Amino acid sequence: MASTEATVHPAHLKAVRALPDALELVSALGYSSQARPVDVSVLNLPGLARAHVIRSGSRRTGYGVLVGEAAELPRSLRPLARSIQREVHDQPLAVVGVGNGHGWERMVIFRPRQVGGQLGAVTVSRLDVDLGHPTPHDAEVVSGLRWRGDLPDAQAQAALNEALSVEAVTNRFYRGLKPHFEALDQAVDALAARRLAVGDGIQRAGGNRRVAIRILTQILFCYFLQRKHLLAGERDYLTSAFTQRSGLFYPTVLEPLFYDTLAVPETQRAASALTASIPFLNGGLFERRYGHVSLDLPDQLFDLDSGLLGYLNHWTFTVAEETADEVEVAVDPEMLGRIFESLLPDAEREQKGTYYTPRPVVQFMCREALVGRLAGAEMPEDALRTLLSEEDPLTRLRSAGRSEESLGRLLRELDDGLAHITVLDPAVGSGAFPLGMLGEIVRLRGIAHEAFHGSPPSAAEIHAWKLEAIERSLFGVDIEPIAIELCRLRLWLSLIVELDASHPVPPLPNLEYRIVCADSLVDFVEGIPIQDTRHAAQTTMFAAVDANEVVRLRVEYFQMADPAAKSELRGRLMDAENALLEEWLEGAQAQLRERPTAQARLDALKAQLRSPDRVYPVFMPGFSAPEVWEQGGWDIVIMNPPYVGRKEIPQRYGEPAIEALVQHYGQTHDLMILFAERAFQLARPGGMVSMIFNDSIFTSTDATEFRRQLFDRAAVGAIARTKCFEGQAVNGGVIVARKESGTGWPVRWVEGYQRPVQDFAAASARLDASSGRDEVVEASAGSMEVFVAPRGVYLTLPHRPLYRPSHPAVALAQRFTKTAEWATFGEWKYWELLSNTRALEHAIADRRKSRFYQELKSGDWVLLGLVSESAVGLQTGDDRRFLAAVEKTDA
């Protein structure tokens, strides 16, 4: 590759097999300063065998690149990245080859990003190149890493950040994927219309769109398997199979692969099945839902030039479900969260109010919920925040003076708490929050393991923790069947991260009873109260039937893999469940005798519930998770609910749905507030609710009663503002609260509006100055401001606005409430005008006529909105705009 060449091709990457080759590649990218060998032990570069440094200026100017090699890299690159940042350059690039002594097999290119401020952290973006099979995507990313010496340093460094932006990769991938999905959807629809038997099978499987999304996810799953060399040991198994096909690709290659091979144990496969080193996966993803017909889909859908395989071959796939702290610039399972958003038609997405949650926001919400639920006498909040946020938490805790005995007690308590915690997402979508919580659980249990055993956990131990968490801890509900498919897919993918072709691949678990399709918002069907979960968790929903038998059978079914035994067990389980459902529906049956149309709906409902692919009309915690419901509910309820305003509900939902909302909640409201109320109903006493809202909830008069409940019947632990939904008008607001009244728990406020969401990586870190119980403590996390404030700062203003508790804002509120006029203003009806511009205009006009403004005296305070000439009402998020004093008033 010539040094003047700017574009890198896959062939250039394939030629990199040793450190000199990498140095030549880096030089060709414009990093042409002299490469100097360095002593990796002196520079404290853990894991590296040798390295060279290329630097054009000081550690803060120009560029700094480390090129090294290692026998293996650690699971987390953050400690190494921190060392490179400290020793090489404050914005470095690292290129590390990994091999077995006979040449490099992988090349890992990574770049740390410093989240500054008192709560600093390091995040890492990485590209892991398989040097035997580099992709065009790999080459594009590496091409983007050339040094732009013609630009100022800040712009050149920004270009490197953009090249390693996982968000940019996500957007490009799904923009290109959508036309292929639409073509597949149309082809399935055409088959259903052309052949009656095929149409019947597709209808039984949920319709053409659901069949198309299932085929797409099956193919994507195989691409993830290929990356792990789990399909006959090949990295390009599907490409080879397409080239060698002897008939239409889908019926002659993909259907046998999906339904006769991956879904069947090796010993039970037919002689014609594709058996060469292909694992049996179980799990339900490869069950043949459309019956025994074949889908004669045309080959042009899949061809290697303009078809789906050609498109997917362009990209690099990785099975790692990374955290917000460390992401791989590739197509990872986390990106599947975008399918639910980007593959929905625009009108349907708007109707459902569906928005993808960025990874850093998910991580922040998971961490704050864990702190709130787990903190206690044996696990102080500061220690938990250290474990969640620090790169080397054990060293930090020991250096803070914690004894080994005390540390052991803390970590045993932590490990036990994590093994038994229960988490529910009642609007699960593609599974961002269950997967985010799974990552935190596994990472924290790994820290405990390292403290107890002196070494990181093995792949088998990590796999066992994941399996345990998926079986016992993680629950999800969604009304959209496609979302359920994607959530289950991501959970299955999370279980193959640690696996490779050198170890037997264990069958995947059956997830039908952990991730369910249902309406989680109401207790009513056809106006009949099917259950009562609104007031308190009950010991049982059922009187005549033993729910414990269903629980026992589900535990057995979770890991049942043998097809015959699984079918027999599933039959027994469905019989037991049907007995519960019959009792459950018996009360409704009696109430519907005088309503023929509702009775017909109930009969259809019974048939639907007896089908293998159950879709429930309402989420029944006493049926789906009786073992959790008997304990009072879930430890953590976490979600990003739909964004549908109260005024939009009649336009988007039918009369029965609106009637059910009114019966359950007494009124209609913004769906996010109804989901919040539902979350508190499903959480156990002392449990946590962690949710994203439209940030109008912070000040809107429509949400006044909800904010009162947050402080009167709950304990707010964390609030965050963030413009996190790219390209959308929705401003995100995060609230994390404990279902518990009368606590003095301080409130952590993270101001992240229009600031990089990556800075949430440091937003949960401990604050050393004070607990925030008596006074406001302020710190920074990158560009974000973090405040910890006493709960009392939110209890004085009548409509309980959630405002940024800066020192000036708090001082202003305190000064105002101490005035003699406070008693009058505290009851003033005009608080209700702040979010209503037209009423505000009338109020201003009335006050002018009555000479209210002219008669104000020094020392008088008024509501800022009422003296605003612009008549825009109250602006969100800054309490200094709530109040105003007459000139010469001593504030």
Side-chain angles (χ1 to χ4, degrees):
M1 179 176 178
S3 61
T4 58
E5 191 172 4
T7 302
V8 176
H9 299 287
H12 298 136
L13 298 178
K14 200 166 188 176
V16 177
R17 291 297 180 174
L19 196 145
D21 304 326
L23 289 171
E24 182 180 347
L25 173 66
V26 168
S27 177
L29 289 171
Y31 304 93
S32 53
S33 299
Q34 183 178 359
R36 300 180 181 277
V38 296
D39 188 331
V40 294
S41 60
V42 171
L43 290 186
N44 188 27
L45 300 173
L48 296 187
R50 59 185 180 130
H52 286 65
V53 168
I54 306 169
R55 197 160 55 207
S56 64
S58 70
R59 290 180 180 173
R60 295 186 180 276
T61 62
Y63 57 76
V65 183
L66 179 136
V67 183
E69 64 181 10
E72 191 52 73
L73 285 173
R75 182 180 179 88
S76 172
L77 290 178
R78 284 195 297 156
L80 175 58
R82 173 81 80 176
S83 295
I84 294 172
Q85 191 173 45
R86 183 177 59 248
E87 302 292 347
V88 176
H89 197 271
D90 68 343
Q91 297 185 75
L93 187 67
V95 179
V96 178
V98 180
N100 56 11
H102 301 289
W104 290 5
E105 298 172 348
R106 298 162 52 213
M107 181 170 67
V108 181
I109 301 172
F110 61 96
R111 178 173 168 84
R113 176 181 178 272
Q114 181 71 45
V115 179
Q118 297 98 315
L119 306 180
V122 166
T123 64
V124 178
S125 297
R126 59 186 281 176
L127 176 71
D128 197 331
V129 182
D130 180 343
L131 294 172
H133 300 82
T135 67
H137 166 73
D138 295 331
E140 285 178 2
V141 173
V142 175
S143 295
L145 294 174
R146 65 188 180 94
W147 179 250
R148 293 290 306 275
D150 56 320
L151 297 177
D153 283 359
Q155 294 181 29
Q157 295 289 356
L160 299 186
N161 290 336
E162 180 64 20
L164 287 170
S165 166
V166 70
E167 289 80 14
V169 171
T170 301
N171 291 335
R172 291 198 306 271
F173 178 71
Y174 282 114
R175 278 198 303 268
L177 182 65
K178 189 169 185 176
H180 294 283
F181 171 75
E182 296 297 344
L184 180 60
D185 181 33
Q186 292 168 14
V188 173
D189 190 31
L191 278 181
R194 191 166 64 246
R195 293 173 53 193
L196 181 61
V198 171
D200 289 343
I202 289 172
Q203 194 60 38
R204 286 196 305 273
N208 59 283
R209 197 165 189 88
R210 194 168 181 192
V211 169
I213 196 102
R214 181 178 285 271
I215 293 170
L216 179 61
T217 54
Q218 289 168 330
I219 292 172
L220 287 172
F221 196 99
C222 288
Y223 268 82
F224 290 119
L225 291 176
Q226 286 183 158
R227 179 64 195 249
K228 299 292 289 185
H229 300 276
L230 293 174
L231 290 183
E234 295 184 31
R235 179 67 184 270
D236 55 358
Y237 179 87
L238 292 182
T239 297
S240 298
F242 186 86
T243 303
Q244 299 168 23
R245 70 193 185 283
S246 57
L248 287 175
F249 181 63
Y250 186 78
T252 64
V253 176
L254 290 185
E255 284 186 328
L257 174 63
F258 296 161
Y259 307 125
D260 301 327
T261 308
L262 290 166
V264 179
E266 289 89 334
T267 57
Q268 298 179 27
R269 292 173 184 168
S272 59
L274 307 169
T275 58
S277 304
I278 295 178
F280 163 55
L281 292 184
N282 190 41
L285 175 62
F286 295 106
E287 287 186 7
R288 194 177 192 122
R289 299 295 178 88
Y290 50 77
H292 295 290
V293 295
S294 282
L295 303 185
D296 296 330
L297 296 169
D299 276 356
Q300 57 262 38
L301 290 172
F302 308 99
D303 74 57
L304 302 179
D305 294 321
S306 58
L308 178 61
L309 296 189
Y311 179 72
L312 296 178
N313 286 344
H314 177 90
W315 296 90
T316 299
F317 285 76
T318 175
V319 294
E321 279 275 3
E322 305 290 358
T323 68
D325 299 321
E326 192 166 342
V327 295
E328 189 169 343
V329 186
V331 179
D332 68 5
E334 194 272 343
M335 285 191 187
L336 294 173
R338 285 292 179 93
I339 286 184
F340 187 45
E341 179 182 341
S342 65
L343 296 188
L344 286 174
D346 292 340
E348 185 178 349
R349 182 168 68 251
E350 181 179 340
Q351 180 181 9
K352 294 177 185 298
T354 301
Y355 298 98
Y356 164 82
T357 314
R359 188 173 355 209
V361 179
V362 171
Q363 178 176 274
F364 172 76
M365 293 173 63
C366 290
R367 288 181 172 181
E368 292 301 318
L370 286 170
V371 167
R373 184 57 190 158
L374 296 175
E378 288 294 339
M379 282 188 288
E381 180 183 334
D382 282 356
L384 263 176
R385 291 190 179 279
T386 297
L387 289 163
L388 282 163
S389 301
E390 293 283 341
E391 292 150 34
D392 189 1
L394 296 177
T395 298
R396 177 66 180 268
L397 290 171
R398 287 171 178 137
S399 65
R402 185 174 285 271
S403 68
E404 290 300 317
E405 181 182 358
S406 170
L407 183 61
R409 285 197 304 271
L410 182 151
L411 293 173
R412 277 189 290 274
E413 185 82 8
L414 174 68
D415 192 67
D416 184 66
L418 293 169
H420 294 92
I421 200 165
T422 56
V423 181
L424 170 68
D425 184 343
V428 74
S430 62
F433 289 106
L435 269 297
M437 198 62 76
L438 180 64
E440 297 300 321
I441 290 171
V442 169
R443 192 175 60 80
L444 288 172
R445 296 192 75 177
I447 292 170
H449 180 283
E450 186 164 356
F452 295 143
H453 302 284
S455 61
S458 67
E461 287 165 322
I462 292 172
H463 185 272
W465 292 337
K466 287 182 176 180
L467 199 63
E468 181 180 312
I470 292 169
E471 179 179 10
R472 301 179 185 176
S473 297
L474 304 176
F475 298 78
V477 186
D478 204 283
I479 199 169
E480 175 57 57
I482 290 176
I484 295 302
E485 300 277 0
L486 293 172
C487 182
R488 290 174 182 170
L489 173 63
R490 287 184 64 184
L491 287 169
W492 285 320
L493 282 169
S494 74
L495 291 169
I496 67 171
V497 173
E498 282 73 36
L499 304 176
D500 58 43
S502 63
H503 298 89
V505 179
L508 297 174
N510 303 298
L511 302 180
E512 293 94 319
Y513 303 102
R514 285 297 176 258
I515 311 298
V516 300
C517 191
D519 181 350
S520 63
L521 201 52
V522 294
D523 283 343
F524 293 82
V525 177
E526 301 294 341
I528 301 302
I530 297 298
Q531 59 185 355
D532 183 6
T533 60
R534 289 158 285 164
H535 303 106
Q538 301 131 27
T539 54
T540 180
M541 284 176 57
F542 309 101
V545 181
D546 182 10
N548 290 326
E549 175 66 6
V550 169
V551 174
R552 186 190 67 77
L553 290 172
R554 285 177 181 166
V555 169
E556 186 178 352
Y557 182 79
F558 180 77
Q559 292 197 63
M560 177 60 71
D562 179 85
K566 179 178 172 181
S567 177
E568 187 273 335
L569 178 59
R570 191 173 191 177
R572 284 194 287 135
L573 180 52
M574 290 188 68
D575 288 344
E577 288 182 333
N578 286 336
L580 292 183
L581 292 170
E582 285 293 333
E583 181 181 340
W584 177 62
L585 292 171
E586 188 175 337
Q589 189 85 21
Q591 298 181 60
L592 292 177
R593 286 181 183 138
E594 305 303 321
R595 299 172 59 184
T597 56
Q599 179 65 57
R601 169 75 179 114
L602 193 64
D603 290 340
L605 196 60
K606 286 183 178 181
Q608 175 184 325
L609 288 172
R610 290 192 183 99
S611 71
D613 194 14
R614 298 187 194 266
V615 176
Y616 301 99
V618 297
F619 173 53
M620 305 166 287
F623 172 77
S624 291
E627 70 277 27
V628 176
W629 197 237
E630 288 177 2
Q631 299 300 313
W634 278 265
D635 292 310
I636 295 172
V637 180
I638 185 169
M639 63 175 140
N640 174 7
Y643 293 88
V644 181
R646 174 173 49 85
K647 295 177 182 178
E648 300 169 298
I649 286 177
Q651 304 165 22
R652 302 189 185 189
Y653 297 97
E655 189 60 36
I658 296 174
E659 180 186 353
L661 292 176
V662 173
Q663 287 180 295
H664 191 108
Y665 299 98
Q667 62 179 329
T668 59
H669 216 311
D670 293 359
L671 277 194
M672 63 182 179
I673 292 181
L674 300 184
F675 266 104
E677 291 190 32
R678 188 61 171 148
F680 280 105
Q681 292 168 1
L682 295 171
R684 68 186 304 169
M688 300 299 299
V689 171
S690 183
M691 282 184 59
I692 297 179
F693 296 86
N694 182 318
D695 73 351
S696 65
I697 202 169
F698 292 171
T699 55
S700 165
T701 55
D702 281 350
T704 299
E705 183 56 32
F706 173 68
R707 292 194 299 271
R708 288 183 182 278
Q709 293 175 14
L710 282 176
F711 289 104
D712 297 342
R713 303 205 318 251
V716 176
I719 307 170
R721 292 181 70 234
T722 169
K723 176 71 173 175
C724 64
F725 300 111
E726 182 181 346
Q728 306 295 342
V730 177
N731 294 331
V734 172
I735 296 177
V736 183
R738 181 185 289 151
K739 186 179 177 179
E740 171 182 280
S741 60
T743 178
W745 196 20
V747 178
R748 175 172 291 232
W749 176 286
V750 179
E751 183 54 60
Y753 181 68
Q754 291 189 332
R755 308 178 195 194
V757 292
Q758 292 86 350
D759 288 359
F760 272 110
S764 293
R766 59 174 291 177
L767 274 71
D768 292 322
S770 166
S771 67
R773 291 188 180 275
D774 302 317
E775 62 181 13
V776 176
V777 179
E778 183 176 351
S780 60
S783 63
M784 293 184 180
E785 300 165 279
V786 179
F787 303 87
V788 177
R791 177 172 175 264
V793 304
Y794 295 105
L795 299 182
T796 53
L797 300 179
H799 58 310
R800 297 288 193 275
L802 301 179
Y803 64 91
R804 181 169 61 99
S806 65
H807 290 285
V810 172
L812 184 61
Q814 291 172 343
R815 175 70 179 85
F816 177 65
T817 57
K818 289 177 182 177
T819 63
E821 289 80 7
W822 173 243
T824 303
F825 282 111
E827 299 172 358
W828 224 16
K829 65 179 181 179
Y830 289 115
W831 284 104
E832 301 304 315
L833 297 176
L834 289 172
S835 66
N836 186 326
T837 300
R838 181 166 296 178
L840 178 59
E841 290 170 345
H842 290 314
I844 291 172
D846 291 344
R847 287 305 185 205
R848 282 177 175 155
K849 289 179 183 177
S850 66
R851 296 184 59 79
F852 173 80
Y853 300 131
Q854 291 88 333
E855 294 174 4
L856 290 172
K857 305 180 299 297
S858 178
D860 287 343
W861 291 73
V862 294
L863 300 179
L864 180 60
L866 294 181
V867 295
S868 168
E869 294 294 334
S870 62
V872 297
L874 179 67
Q875 300 296 320
T876 300
D878 190 339
D879 197 49
R880 284 169 290 186
R881 293 172 179 157
F882 278 82
L883 311 170
V886 176
E887 188 177 0
K888 298 182 181 178
T889 295
D890 179 17

